[in-house]
Amino acid sequence: SAGRKNLQRTTRKRRNISTPTPTPLHTTLQSNIKSLFFTQKKFNIQKMTRTRMLFTLIMAFACFSTCASFVTPTIRATPPQRIGHPLEAVAKQRVAVIDGPEWAWLQTFLNQKNEESSSSRKQNPSSTQHGYMTVLAGTTTDGDRVVGIQANNDKNDNDDDDDNDNNNENPLVDLGNGAFLYKDSAATVPSKVNYDDAISTMVASLTGIHHAIPKIEKVGGSGQTFVSGKVVVMGGNDYAKFCAEGLSALGSSVYLVTTRGVKCNDRSVQVLTPATGELELGFSEVVGEFDTLVDTMIDEARLVEKRKRVVNNYDDVLDNMGGSSILSLLKQRHKCQRYLSTQPMAQKMVGDAGVLFGPGKVKNREKDMVSKLSSRRAPPASEYQSIVPPKDFGSTVQTLLEKNVLFSPKNGGDDVMVRGWELQDFWESASWPRDSNGANVRYGLPVIDDIDLDAEMINEAPATSNPVVRRRNDDDNIGGQSTKEQKNPYVLDVNSVSDLNHHVLTSDKHCVLFMSASWCRTCKYLQSPYSRMARETSGEHKDLFFAKANTAGMKGKEIGKALDVDAVPTFVLFREGKRYGSPLSISRLPSKKLDWAVEHLASGREWDSETFKELEAEEHE
């Protein structure tokens, strides 16, 4: 064959030790392939040597591999047959599943919106196990890159008349070729954001961000809504950080509480530990009043286990749990109007069954969900409920995409999206410190104490050194503030642990704190000389201020508990936010030991216990 002749000529040239003329690779490949497949002569493979045959086969394989890389067409993925839209309209589509406590809470808020809405399109309240939605991303007929929740194929939905859209509470966005999105869910995707991130951000923000936003609606009768308030997010996982940064981007003051040493990209998000500061105050006491608490670890309401019927609103949840529950205490003490859990079912199953048996159950459950949602038929209505987006949801997603607050998927190519579990979340939930006064309550959340400090407060009478116990009567103030508010420019009123933290514990100045009670006669007797002392001393020491705390009532009891003070009147000193010396139990002013302590505090000298004991002995004499 021609290939054999070429090899023979090359061999003869090498034997004559002459400089061979290099044969181009494509010429060698062409000649060998031509000799193998296009020659009319009979090819005798037995006469070929083993080396020549091997060389020929290698060249043939290399030639065909090289050619195939240029002529093979690009294979484009076909969308699932349940949707059936061409790629010119829909570029990405995912079926997202929301389950577990997160779905139970989302159902509650969606049902509440149904009660408040007068639209004909409402979600039928039901107690299903899962919620699902098909999220599409693609190009509109106008050429805009959008992402949103697919609308059902309803004849009334496909009406393009502008007047009808104005009357329809949830109009549609046309992607062309029969693809429609709910307008309330539609958001424009910036060029710097890919479709996978846009879809996962939309799914992740539905419960933990959109339904957690503290809003002020219909300000001044204008009908406008403003974002204003505080939000606490519990957890240190990626989803918790996404919720914290997203809520901050939307205008909320956000506190992220976690046992992990995490940092947020948004510096305005304040990261706290469950026990904060030198006094190890609970985070709820440090924050004070807040509007929403987003719990990404567990569900304190346990809606999945307890709910036997449809819960139509948040008040139903509080009524079912009772007035002593954590949710009720959050509302009473911190004016928290909304608690919600974003715990997925996978994390709950691992938490209940443990890390040895839980992951296997999660895996089997996810396989069953994928098989039901990937088929052409609709999933069982008794288990899965289609999600209709709430009002203005697209505006929330739009702000997140524009400010580059994204939740990137870990499995971006999966057609069915469902949140799984993480080992770090399991350990954080298990290792979170518990309150010693509560029944397995995570530290920082409010609990009901067994001991009423108000009933145990000790009142030292001015005429005798023997303490007299006085129990609180029904006429005493229990609101945490004095019945007569004292407007004193020289003495700062501390009415809660939050005030204590913001004005005293985090201050760079020195402070003298007068611990009193509204029912204490001795405390009322000391108010005038204490105010005079504050007025005279403030002029001499600019870095020193005086404060007064009322320990009566619920908030006052928390102050006394935080400072470990069980008797009044008591004076507690602070040097730049840290406790200085020992608490002073004083029943008369002026007092030598208080003057000595204030002078040492203001001058920067260290506390002298021996001198203080001598002064204390002189006063008793």
Side-chain angles (χ1 to χ4, degrees), residues 79-129:
Q81 297 180 7
R82 287 193 299 111
I83 307 298
H85 300 308
L87 288 174
E88 287 78 13
V90 179
K92 292 283 185 179
Q93 57 187 11
R94 299 285 186 268
V95 178
V97 180
I98 299 178
D99 58 3
E102 181 180 9
W103 170 236
W105 279 104
L106 181 58
Q107 272 188 302
T108 300
F109 299 132
L110 293 177
N111 293 339
Q112 183 172 351
K113 292 296 182 182
N114 283 343
E115 289 185 342
E116 299 172 356
S117 174
S118 59
S119 173
S120 60
R121 177 188 288 135
K122 297 181 179 180
Q123 295 194 161
N124 296 324
S126 60
S127 183
T128 55
Q129 300 177 8

Side-chain angles (χ1 to χ4, degrees), residues 170-341:
N170 204 341
L172 307 178
V173 175
D174 186 6
L175 294 182
N177 297 301
F180 291 90
L181 303 178
Y182 288 118
K183 189 174 182 179
D184 280 336
S185 71
T188 303
V189 181
S191 57
K192 61 182 179 181
V193 179
N194 61 59
Y195 283 137
D196 286 329
D197 287 347
I199 292 176
S200 61
T201 299
M202 170 166 282
V203 175
S205 62
L206 179 57
T207 308
I209 294 181
H210 183 74
H211 286 94
I213 303 173
K215 298 179 180 179
I216 302 177
E217 299 181 352
K218 299 179 181 180
V219 179
S222 61
Q224 296 181 355
T225 302
F226 298 93
V227 177
S228 178
K230 295 181 182 179
V231 181
V232 175
V233 181
M234 295 181 65
N237 51 57
D238 292 339
Y239 181 76
K241 292 191 292 183
F242 166 73
C243 291
E245 294 176 357
L247 289 166
S248 177
L250 291 166
S252 303
S253 300
V254 184
Y255 298 83
L256 180 65
V257 184
T258 176
T259 58
R260 309 182 198 179
V262 301
K263 294 182 179 179
C264 290
N265 297 327
D266 189 347
R267 296 184 178 181
S268 62
V269 177
Q270 301 186 44
V271 181
L272 303 176
T273 56
T276 304
E278 181 184 7
L279 300 179
E280 295 186 345
L281 300 176
F283 69 86
S284 60
E285 303 300 337
V286 173
V287 178
E289 296 180 355
F290 49 92
D291 300 273
T292 309
L293 193 150
V294 180
D295 195 342
T296 66
M297 296 187 298
I298 64 175
D299 179 20
E300 291 291 347
R302 301 185 181 276
L303 290 186
V304 175
E305 296 93 339
K306 293 184 178 180
R307 189 172 60 176
K308 303 298 183 181
R309 60 181 179 84
V310 178
V311 179
N312 292 321
N313 52 57
Y314 188 74
D315 292 335
D316 286 351
V317 178
L318 297 180
D319 293 340
N320 292 338
M321 296 188 64
S324 61
S325 64
I326 292 177
L327 274 64
S328 298
L329 294 177
L330 285 171
K331 186 175 182 179
Q332 295 170 9
R333 300 182 184 180
H334 303 282
K335 296 183 178 180
C336 179
Q337 300 299 319
R338 175 165 293 188
Y339 168 95
L340 61 91
S341 173

Side-chain angles (χ1 to χ4, degrees), residues 384-550:
Y384 294 84
Q385 177 180 335
S386 178
I387 299 174
V388 177
K391 187 178 179 181
D392 298 329
F393 177 49
S395 301
T396 300
V397 179
Q398 183 72 58
T399 303
L400 299 178
L401 297 178
E402 291 177 350
K403 295 189 177 183
N404 202 35
V405 181
L406 307 175
F407 187 73
S408 299
K410 295 184 177 180
N411 298 320
D414 295 344
D415 291 335
V416 178
M417 299 174 57
V418 56
R419 286 180 57 200
W421 73 282
E422 294 184 6
L423 183 60
Q424 292 181 344
D425 295 346
F426 174 82
W427 288 121
E428 181 174 23
S429 178
S431 61
W432 193 285
R434 261 52 182 179
D435 197 306
S436 59
N437 294 326
N440 198 28
V441 176
R442 288 173 295 173
Y443 189 80
L445 294 172
V447 295
I448 295 181
D449 298 331
D450 296 331
I451 300 177
D452 187 354
L453 293 183
D454 288 346
E456 301 295 333
M457 283 292 181
I458 299 176
N459 176 22
E460 285 186 329
T464 177
S465 59
N466 296 326
V468 178
V469 178
R470 179 187 184 278
R471 295 188 178 275
R472 177 173 53 82
N473 297 325
D474 295 336
D475 296 334
D476 292 333
N477 175 38
I478 59 174
Q481 295 183 357
S482 301
T483 55
K484 295 182 180 180
E485 294 184 1
Q486 179 183 358
K487 297 181 179 179
N488 191 332
Y490 302 102
V491 179
L492 175 68
D493 288 329
V494 177
N495 299 316
S496 64
V497 176
S498 178
D499 291 345
L500 177 68
N501 180 70
H502 290 305
H503 299 301
V504 179
L505 301 181
T506 60
S507 175
D508 56 355
K509 295 184 178 182
H510 313 316
C511 175
V512 179
L513 179 62
F514 174 27
M515 303 285 291
S516 66
S518 58
W519 46 262
C520 173
R521 294 182 180 180
T522 305
C523 299
K524 294 179 180 179
Y525 168 78
L526 296 176
Q527 286 182 5
S528 295
Y530 181 70
S531 299
R532 183 169 55 252
M533 178 183 181
R535 182 179 69 252
E536 295 173 354
T537 309
S538 298
E540 301 176 2
H541 305 284
K542 300 297 182 182
D543 57 348
L544 176 66
F545 70 96
F546 290 77
K548 180 171 69 72
N550 183 10

